[in-house]
Amino acid sequence: MSRGLGAEQMAFGANYTPRHGWFHSWLELDPSSVAADFAALKALGLDHVRIFPLWPLLQPNRTHLVARSLQDVRTVAQLAGDAGLDVHVDVLQGHLSSFDFLPSWVETWHRTNFFTDPKAIAAAAELISALTEVLADLPQVRGLSLGNEIGQFAAARHPEQRAITPAQARAWTSGLLEHAARVWPDGRHTHSYDDELWFVDEHPFTPDLATQLSPTTTVHSWVFTGATTRLGNDHPDLARFGRYLVELAQAWSPDPTRPVWVQEIGAPTPSVSADQAPDYARRTLVELVGSPAVEAVTWWCSHDVSRSLADFPELEYSLGLIDEHSRVKPIGRAMAELIDDVRSGVVGRESATGRRALVIPPLEHELRSLTAPHGPVFLEWLALGGDPAPALLPVTQATGPDLLEARGITTLIDPLNLQTSESNPLLLKR
Amino acid sequence: MSRGLGAEQMAFGANYTPRHGWFHSWLELDPSSVAADFAALKALGLDHVRIFPLWPLLQPNRTHLVARSLQDVRTVAQLAGDAGLDVHVDVLQGHLSSFDFLPSWVETWHRTNFFTDPKAIAAAAELISALTEVLADLPQVRGLSLGNEIGQFAAARHPEQRAITPAQARAWTSGLLEHAARVWPDGRHTHSYDDELWFVDEHPFTPDLATQLSPTTTVHSWVFTGATTRLGNDHPDLARFGRYLVELAQAWSPDPTRPVWVQEIGAPTPSVSADQAPDYARRTLVELVGSPAVEAVTWWCSHDVSRSLADFPELEYSLGLIDEHSRVKPIGRAMAELIDDVRSGVVGRESATGRRALVIPPLEHELRSLTAPHGPVFLEWLALGGDPAPALLPVTQATGPDLLEARGITTLIDPLNLQTSESNPLLLKR
């Protein structure tokens, strides 16, 4: 691994879901409550948090930024820093746990495709600049993320889809990332995607964006998007899905040393039952730590959503490491123990050399579904077992010795017979 | 007029549009700025304001009310009271000046028809109860209004229509008004409608609701909805459109003594050019004061929308009595002078007896468009002139002497020949 990152240097964090009032707490920020939440996360051994202001509260009009809301973001970031946590700040929310938060100036009578509307893009840049202004001098704030899985607003399944082309998705992402780099050159700015980027053939946000823009590839891993359907609830291999996504992200990456940040991963019921969750979490994390590419894992989420809040999908109420009464849950203890084990060397990286690789169909945007949980690749990869987990190698790269060496791959496994059959039906899927 | 309200007892107010930050100022309430705004309105001779909290800030989750947001509403109401202004508080915004404000729990993935969903209706009742809790002890807070023109979400023209039947519209309105009366029996609680209620044949919110529920009929009068198209910009008769709506509301009312609150009326460009606005405002107000039924007029709006805020329809920037730099505009001075003239008896009521009435087609929901600005009734009514303005009398009531007497009508005018022709095409429109 050219980055030379040892497992003990890995970052472990949580996506911060405020215990009191969830993200609606931005409407009545209680610094002492937030400070207590952060202290509890630090006590688990975590080193960072992602925080999520809500777009309509920051920028309720296209040309109006709310100073108090910006100051509240700074306050929360400071509190995290005071607790010894690094902070990553998401810009455009956008979407959180099934709820969409869009300002009125992009909705109904003012509906606009904010991915392509030049005025909306300029406004997003203004918001990035404003957040930079209130955050960049805080040493523990590491950077911005453009928006939490905001690409789903462009997905066909969204009830108010903003349809765009891949070129438009690239222009939006690269333009705003470049703007962030310009106004905040010391920040480490990222963008995030749900797994439709990797799995849905026609999704306008593509793996190219994930693996070529920003300094790290972000992965959001949720077993309920397909893995559970394929494997069944509480299947032991569900704990390997996150690692599978990491390997897939690496396979798409033109740079074999590119890091991966597993920015969201959790233990959702009923895919993972409550009593299985601690074991699932540990095995998931061991798999992720094993990858020489993974630089950070950020659990979703810090605190259970309070049962006093209505209308969340059932699974969202129990994703926390800590419950709504501030008690560390078994899964929180499991993560704390794993972090201890990593720091003390009990759990470590797999070797970055001498790796096995599963030969897979060419990685093309129009063939993404071949690598989805319902496709042939996932099960073949699982069948190879872990320890160490195999890489994924597109058949189109299987003959390049330099590339194999760069990826540390010494053994090719080709159960789909992709190398020997030019007319393999998998290659003709479309 | 059985209520015995003299013109000098009429109420004059403004719909309060905060000078700093418009309604987004709820996100960073500045009491001193609000106090200055109210003092300026009081100095014009106004006696009341309507205030408009935003629904998503009060109730961002179906079962979560934000204490600080509720407290902010109380603070603003107190500041208005301190300035000597009565206060009416709108509950569900909903919609303001082309922008929709809906909480995420009724939108996209959680989309619900909040007019019919029992959980959403229960949540609206909870919000009414919560506002009652923080407001009812303030002596100058007069009551609640369910929501500002919220019925437009049920209109076919709305891009995210919540389609409902008239029975559902009635159930929603009466249920919430009854709830408000139960929890706040001393309050005077109303509901409001744009003029589609009077003019659009298929609109599920009907004149029955406006004229039978709550203690007063509310009228929102905007010449740009059709009167300008019919008459032309700056036509002198545009100043009579508000009065026409009052007469139409009276014609629909089963109670001839029912009061009317002209809750929104303004001077929008280009229908009314800036240099004509003071004269338009005075003539509009003289017409409204003339009606023995009108108990209150609330101008839209108090303060111009700042040019620093984007995307408002052009007309919305210049509707204030006071400009964005706190200067009273000519239209503000015109309203102040008119109020002086009413208080001193220079301008007064027309007689409630000996009135002329224009005979009009039957008032049926399916025939509402006959009374719209593009229909035959409006021009005939205008042609009869004012001073005093004629009443509107459905032909179906033209033979009832008791009713004529109750309405103070002594002269019937029938230019459409409705009384003499049973096959009049106007009656067969549909």
Side-chain angles (χ1 to χ4, degrees), chain A residues 35 44 46 52 108-109 131 161-162 188 209 225 246 251 272 319 329 331 376 409 417 423:
Chain A
L44 294 182
L46 302 185
F52 304 89
T108 60
W109 302 107
L131 284 166
Q161 182 194 13
R162 269 76 174 172
R188 196 156 182 271
L209 307 188
T225 63
V246 169
V272 182
L319 290 172
K329 293 164 63 182
I331 193 172
I409 293 168
N417 296 316
S423 60

Side-chain angles (χ1 to χ4, degrees), chain A residues 61 63 68 98 100 110 308 311, chain B residues 61 63 68 98 108 110 308 310:
Chain A
N61 179 275
T63 56
R68 187 171 79 177
S98 83
D100 286 345
H110 294 272
S308 69
D311 301 335
Chain B
N61 179 275
T63 56
R68 187 171 80 176
S98 83
T108 60
H110 294 272
S308 69

Side-chain angles (χ1 to χ4, degrees), chain A residues 21 24-29 56-58 60-69 72 95 97-105 107-111 119 152-153 157-160 307-313, chain B residues 21 24-29 56-58 60-69 72 95 97-105 107-111 119 152-153 157-160 307-313:
Chain A
H24 304 310
S25 57
W26 289 112
L27 289 168
E28 46 184 349
L29 186 65
L57 307 187
L58 293 171
N61 179 275
R62 180 167 60 79
T63 56
H64 181 64
L65 293 159
V66 177
R68 187 171 79 177
S69 300
D72 284 349
H95 177 91
S97 301
S98 83
F99 293 98
D100 286 345
F101 297 96
L102 294 183
S104 61
W105 57 272
E107 286 276 74
T108 60
W109 302 107
H110 294 272
R111 183 184 166 91
K119 289 179 174 176
Q152 66 185 257
F153 285 98
R157 68 186 173 92
H158 196 281
E160 296 178 13
R307 287 281 170 187
S308 69
L309 299 175
D311 301 335
F312 285 78
Chain B
H24 305 309
S25 57
W26 288 113
L27 288 168
E28 45 183 348
L29 186 64
L57 307 187
L58 294 171
N61 179 275
R62 180 166 60 78
T63 56
H64 181 64
L65 293 158
V66 177
R68 187 171 80 176
S69 300
D72 283 350
H95 177 92
S97 302
S98 83
F99 293 98
D100 285 346
F101 297 96
L102 294 182
S104 61
W105 58 271
E107 286 276 75
T108 60
W109 302 107
H110 294 272
R111 182 185 167 91
K119 290 179 173 176
Q152 65 185 258
F153 285 98
R157 68 185 173 94
H158 196 281
E160 297 178 14
R307 288 280 171 187
S308 69
L309 298 175
D311 301 334
F312 285 78

